[in-house]
Amino acid sequence: MISYVIINQSEVSSLDFDTVLNTNSELLRYSLDGSQAIVKYEGTQPFDLLGKTEYTEESIKDVVSGLEWYDLDAVI
């Protein structure tokens, strides 16, 4: 099962992209103000993301439908 977490932009540079499904920082979904990003992974929560709130695909869609994430051209 694929899970999602939201991280602060300041955490992106220390993220181990070998442990998540996003292959680099350019492929993350960022909030409109650029302060947060969505990371997706499969299976156990990677060490870099421990303690972060996990979202299912359905629940992350609810989050990104909010004004701070809304972007018609973006995909999760």
Side-chain angles (χ1 to χ4, degrees):
M1 179 173 93
I2 295 177
S3 298
Y4 302 82
V5 297
I6 297 173
I7 63 172
N8 292 322
Q9 187 277 336
S10 61
E11 298 172 283
V12 171
S13 62
S14 61
L15 185 63
D16 181 356
F17 284 95
D18 290 333
T19 64
V20 298
L21 296 175
N22 313 87
T23 55
N24 63 57
S25 62
E26 293 174 9
L27 298 178
L28 295 175
R29 170 81 185 269
Y30 289 90
S31 59
L32 291 178
D33 68 2
S35 68
Q36 296 180 309
I38 296 173
V39 179
K40 61 183 175 179
Y41 61 92
E42 194 165 19
T44 305
Q45 194 172 51
F47 182 77
D48 293 353
L49 305 175
L50 287 178
K52 302 285 184 189
T53 302
E54 288 184 327
Y55 297 89
T56 63
E57 182 175 359
E58 195 61 37
S59 63
I60 200 69
K61 285 181 180 181
D62 289 340
V63 171
V64 299
S65 68
L67 292 177
E68 59 274 349
W69 291 92
Y70 191 70
D71 184 352
L72 286 175
D73 298 323
V75 294
I76 297 177

